[in-house]
Amino acid sequence: MAKSPETEHPLKAVGWATKDTSGVFSPFKFSRRATGEHDVQFKVLYCGVCHSDLHMAKNEWGFTQYPLVPGHEIVGEVTEVGSKVEKFKVGDKVGVGCMVGSCRECDQCTNDLENYCSKMILTYSAVYVDGTITYGGYSNLMVADEHFVVLWPENFPLDIGAPLLCAGITTYSPLRYFGLDKPGMSIGVVGLGGLGHVAVKFAKAFGTKVTVISTSINKKEEAIEKLGADSFLVSRDPEEMKAATGTLDGIIDTVSAHHPILPLISLLKPHGKMVLVGAPEKPLELPAFPLISSKKLLAGSGIGGMKETQEMIDFAAKHNILPDVEIIPIDYINTAMDRLVKSDVKYRFVIDIAKSLKLE
């Protein structure tokens, strides 16, 4: 008979979980594995709330395993390290993002692209190498292989910085990989939510000219005055969109709702690149002719490898790139999820685990 989540491992743990597709969270007792020779154990201090957590809580992507403890923007302080750990020591501030394992042997892994390994293990709701289900950062402690742990830069805020472990690497990686990081380039960012506002900050730090593209004129002042975007387009305004035809070198599309992409492709210069990082539930309609006629590229990108994630955090610390967050207690999570559905957050919730998670 299978052991219960509370008894399958030796370390007692507590968190908040949802037990079914209602997506309603409540306190949950479970367990973590003992710290192995290559493992880092840390006390969770803060955990960001990603839109993926909402999709997964309601099984909207179809592969959720309940009970579900989400959270893949996890930061904390090391309390124990395994005998063969080389990069971390007790007291270090660390982070864990979207993955906690991979095969470490394939072409993707040996090229620092563990995120594209066919055996990549997600931080939560995945099967770990020992056959147990992974649980995320809406919890008091984590145990992870040191390879999948990021060293947090000194004097860089843990609470505000936590969402960079997902939203940061998700936008940093495509800007770098597709060469959309050259000073003077014109880059569009579609959607001004958790991902979009971080994309703007990274693109500006690279020295590019940034245009925010949104369905809502209400975000114009925020985009330009607060986030430093150079211009703003309302995607529902045909005249504005027409006037901007062929002006952008690249576009990062962060929207996870269904939306038309033909108007966005038209904004690209010939040889321009549009990269999808949002994940709409339903397929998008892809027109072939606009791509063919101007040699435009439509691509996708998902998080980044561990080497690049560390590089991203270090770059963010150097350039003081921080998400805009709202700090919440863990017992506010159900309200936070309701607000997330309505996009009622600027721009990311972060749970104060250390102060609000009761250990009994």
Side-chain angles (χ1 to χ4, degrees):
M1 195 172 118
K3 288 188 176 180
S4 73
E6 199 172 351
T7 60
E8 65 186 357
H9 296 299
L11 299 177
K12 291 188 184 305
V14 293
W16 277 54
T18 179
K19 315 273 196 320
D20 53 49
T21 55
S22 68
V24 174
F25 288 88
S26 58
F28 175 64
K29 290 182 180 179
F30 65 108
S31 55
R32 299 280 192 195
R33 68 178 185 270
T35 308
E37 58 186 16
H38 293 286
D39 285 340
V40 173
Q41 182 187 145
F42 65 94
K43 176 186 177 186
V44 178
L45 299 177
Y46 301 95
C47 184
V49 178
C50 177
H51 215 280
S52 302
D53 300 348
L54 176 61
H55 287 300
M56 288 292 288
K58 298 189 174 184
N59 196 26
E60 289 174 351
W61 290 336
F63 59 86
T64 299
Q65 307 198 50
Y66 297 102
L68 175 82
V69 178
H72 58 206
E73 302 173 344
I74 315 162
V75 293
E77 183 175 329
V78 176
T79 53
E80 186 180 24
V81 295
S83 60
K84 294 187 178 177
V85 167
E86 298 176 353
K87 295 187 289 185
F88 304 96
K89 62 184 186 303
V90 172
D92 282 348
K93 302 298 191 294
V94 294
V96 166
C98 303
M99 59 182 167
V100 291
S102 70
C103 82
R104 311 283 294 280
E105 295 172 349
C106 68
D107 286 349
Q108 302 306 315
C109 287
T110 54
N111 284 292
D112 300 310
L113 294 167
E114 303 93 338
N115 49 314
Y116 299 121
C117 171
S118 63
K119 296 179 181 175
M120 186 263 280
I121 301 171
L122 294 171
T123 300
Y124 65 83
S125 199
V127 179
Y128 199 64
V129 291
D130 60 7
T132 63
I133 302 301
T134 57
Y135 295 114
Y138 295 13
S139 59
N140 67 317
L141 70 95
M142 282 291 293
V143 179
D145 185 297
E146 73 165 328
H147 185 79
F148 296 92
V149 179
V150 171
L151 183 63
W152 205 257
E154 279 187 43
N155 304 316
F156 194 52
L158 285 159
D159 51 356
I160 308 174
L164 291 171
L165 291 163
C166 174
I169 188 60
T170 297
T171 51
Y172 178 94
S173 182
L175 286 166
R176 281 286 203 214
Y177 180 85
F178 291 101
L180 304 178
D181 56 351
K182 309 294 184 288
M185 275 187 160
S186 294
I187 304 299
V189 174
V190 188
L192 200 61
L195 290 174
H197 88 287
V198 176
V200 171
K201 294 185 182 197
F202 276 121
K204 285 299 295 180
F206 290 142
T208 70
K209 294 175 183 172
V210 179
T211 299
V212 169
I213 304 152
S214 174
T215 55
S216 172
I217 187 68
N218 298 337
K219 292 190 174 179
K220 182 174 183 177
E221 186 179 344
E222 179 94 7
I224 292 174
E225 301 298 327
K226 189 153 187 255
L227 298 174
D230 299 282
S231 53
F232 188 92
L233 283 175
V234 179
S235 57
R236 288 178 176 154
D237 185 326
E239 292 302 311
E240 269 193 34
M241 293 292 281
K242 188 177 179 183
T245 296
T247 59
L248 300 178
D249 295 291
I251 293 173
I252 303 293
D253 184 351
T254 72
V255 176
S256 57
H258 192 78
H259 60 291
I261 56 174
L262 177 59
L264 301 172
I265 290 170
S266 70
L267 299 175
L268 290 171
K269 298 175 183 177
H271 316 287
K273 301 167 186 175
M274 178 164 151
V275 190
L276 306 178
V277 296
E281 289 172 59
K282 295 176 183 171
L284 299 172
E285 190 172 316
L286 175 62
F289 194 72
L291 297 179
I292 295 166
S293 61
S294 300
K295 207 166 193 175
K296 294 175 182 177
L297 179 74
L298 181 63
S301 181
I303 55 171
M306 292 313 303
K307 183 180 177 183
E308 189 174 46
T309 302
Q310 185 70 61
E311 176 191 296
M312 176 276 304
I313 284 286
D314 294 340
F315 181 91
K318 182 180 178 182
H319 296 271
N320 199 32
I321 297 169
L322 286 162
D324 295 1
V325 306
E326 180 178 331
I327 309 289
I328 61 168
I330 188 85
D331 59 10
Y332 186 78
I333 189 61
N334 289 312
T335 305
M337 289 294 183
D338 289 341
R339 286 179 55 192
L340 201 54
V341 172
K342 304 170 192 161
S343 300
D344 177 25
V345 56
K346 286 187 178 173
Y347 283 96
R348 207 69 153 185
F349 289 115
V350 173
I351 306 167
D352 187 335
I353 298 287
K355 280 189 182 170
S356 67
L357 180 60
K358 294 179 176 63
L359 301 184
E360 289 300 326

Short mmCIF file of all heavy atoms in Angstrom, two decimals, residues 59 101 272 291 302:
data_model
loop_
_atom_site.label_atom_id
_atom_site.label_comp_id
_atom_site.label_asym_id
_atom_site.label_seq_id
_atom_site.Cartn_x
_atom_site.Cartn_y
_atom_site.Cartn_z
N ASN A 59 -6.37 22.23 -12.62
CA ASN A 59 -6.08 21.21 -13.62
C ASN A 59 -6.45 21.67 -15.04
O ASN A 59 -6.94 20.87 -15.86
CB ASN A 59 -6.77 19.89 -13.29
CG ASN A 59 -6.18 18.72 -14.09
OD1 ASN A 59 -5.03 18.77 -14.51
ND2 ASN A 59 -6.98 17.71 -14.32
N GLY A 101 14.84 18.67 -11.21
CA GLY A 101 15.57 17.50 -11.68
C GLY A 101 15.58 17.40 -13.19
O GLY A 101 14.74 18.00 -13.88
N GLY A 272 12.07 39.86 -38.51
CA GLY A 272 11.76 40.04 -37.09
C GLY A 272 11.36 38.73 -36.42
O GLY A 272 10.99 37.75 -37.07
N LEU A 291 4.50 35.31 -42.41
CA LEU A 291 5.82 34.80 -42.00
C LEU A 291 6.69 34.57 -43.23
O LEU A 291 7.86 34.97 -43.28
CB LEU A 291 5.67 33.48 -41.23
CG LEU A 291 4.90 33.53 -39.90
CD1 LEU A 291 4.84 32.12 -39.30
CD2 LEU A 291 5.55 34.47 -38.90
N GLY A 302 10.63 28.49 -22.98
CA GLY A 302 10.17 28.12 -21.64
C GLY A 302 11.30 28.20 -20.63
O GLY A 302 12.34 27.56 -20.78
#
